Amino acid sequence: MLTNVKGTKVSKGDCDIDFSDTLTAYNGSAKNIILPDGIKVIGEDAFFGNKQITAVVVPVGVETIEDGAFWMCLSLKNVVLPSTLRKIGENAFNSCVELTSIMIPEGVVEIGANAFTNCKKLKDIYVPNSATDIGDDAFYTFNESTLIHTSNGSTAEIIAKEHDWKVDNNAEPSTERVEPLQKTSRQIMKNSKINAPDTLEAQEFSTVSPSKNLYWHYDMLLNQKRGGLSRFAEVSINDSGTEFTC
């Protein structure tokens, strides 16, 4: 359950980024990280075997997470994926044994073979209708409690039933029981508007339901595209745009 994630926005100096805007390695020491803006791809094996990171926010603009990008990140508990994502490669999160839930955003088309294999604590996987190319054993977590949240008739539902995996046909995470969060500086009330530093315009952050992870894009909150929050959430915004608590 994602209840209180404090992320530090890492600099490009802490990463190896090639000429094609592919992040090929992370060399920093922060554990709960917001990856830098301006990257398009998380490269093959970029975080392979990293035992330190516990949470990762992948920034808007990233379209591909390549094969094995987070393979065997044994401490990784929380991942936030952007709305721009289109592909999750083979073994991308294989053996992330502490990961408990993942919300794959609408727009993702391809989920590679064994993408979430051996994620033994993974209980909730949200898969959009857009995911039509799903590889072998993508969701074979070795956890009998794993629940695939997807819509009726989706590719994910068909594959889940073929493998006797549990399915919940409510693809959207529940908005019930959204609770206040600690260490916050501003409240976002239903039908309200907020202002934030210009540096955060393209940054995503999350509000969280205790029962299921619920990710709200910043622009969606501003425009009330989802009708506001069921109760309220509090989000801490650091004026420099380098940290947030959600």
Side-chain angles (χ1 to χ4, degrees), residues 197-214:
D198 292 340
T199 52
L200 283 182
E201 282 183 355
Q203 179 62 54
E204 295 183 4
F205 59 81
S206 305
T207 60
V208 181
S209 164
S211 57
K212 299 176 181 177
N213 289 353
L214 174 62

Side-chain angles (χ1 to χ4, degrees), residues 126-148:
Y126 294 90
V127 187
N129 289 336
S130 59
T132 55
D133 186 356
I134 301 176
D136 292 343
D137 295 331
F139 308 127
Y140 194 32
T141 64
F142 292 92
N143 181 351
E144 293 182 357
S145 298
T146 297
L147 189 60
I148 309 297

Side-chain angles (χ1 to χ4, degrees), residues 5-196:
V5 173
K6 184 177 182 180
T8 299
K9 191 166 185 177
V10 301
S11 69
K12 289 187 176 181
D14 287 329
C15 305
D16 294 339
I17 301 173
D18 69 14
F19 67 93
S20 63
D21 297 322
T22 296
L23 188 153
T24 58
Y26 169 63
N27 306 309
S29 58
K31 296 180 179 181
N32 300 341
I33 60 175
I34 307 168
L35 296 178
D37 296 329
I39 58 176
K40 296 179 180 179
V41 177
I42 309 298
E44 184 174 350
D45 296 338
F47 291 84
F48 177 81
N50 187 308
K51 297 179 176 62
Q52 302 301 317
I53 58 169
T54 58
V56 175
V57 178
V58 179
V60 172
V62 170
E63 298 179 356
T64 302
I65 297 176
E66 291 191 342
D67 297 353
F70 295 94
W71 196 348
M72 292 187 68
C73 288
L74 301 182
S75 300
L76 185 61
K77 296 180 179 180
N78 302 306
V79 177
V80 179
L81 301 176
S83 57
T84 52
L85 190 64
R86 297 296 175 261
K87 176 184 176 181
I88 299 173
E90 295 182 6
N91 297 298
F93 295 93
N94 192 325
S95 299
C96 291
V97 294
E98 294 296 323
L99 191 65
T100 58
S101 65
I102 189 76
M103 184 176 179
I104 301 169
E106 185 68 39
V108 169
V109 175
E110 182 178 348
I111 303 171
N114 300 299
F116 297 96
T117 291
N118 202 37
C119 294
K120 296 180 179 179
K121 293 186 179 180
L122 191 53
K123 294 181 179 179
D124 296 292
I125 306 174
Y126 294 90
V127 187
N129 289 336
S130 59
T132 55
D133 186 356
I134 301 176
D136 292 343
D137 295 331
F139 308 127
Y140 194 32
T141 64
F142 292 92
N143 181 351
E144 293 182 357
S145 298
T146 297
L147 189 60
I148 309 297
H149 302 267
T150 191
S151 299
N152 279 314
S154 69
T155 300
E157 182 193 44
I158 294 169
I159 291 174
K161 289 183 176 180
E162 288 176 352
H163 289 78
D164 292 324
W165 296 332
K166 298 178 181 177
V167 177
D168 170 23
N169 289 127
N170 177 18
E172 286 286 340
S174 171
T175 59
E176 296 178 358
R177 297 172 55 236
V178 175
E179 296 180 352
L181 306 171
Q182 296 179 348
K183 297 182 180 179
T184 59
S185 59
R186 307 184 187 189
Q187 290 187 356
I188 305 170
M189 305 298 293
K190 184 174 182 179
N191 298 322
S192 69
K193 294 183 178 180
I194 62 172
N195 296 311

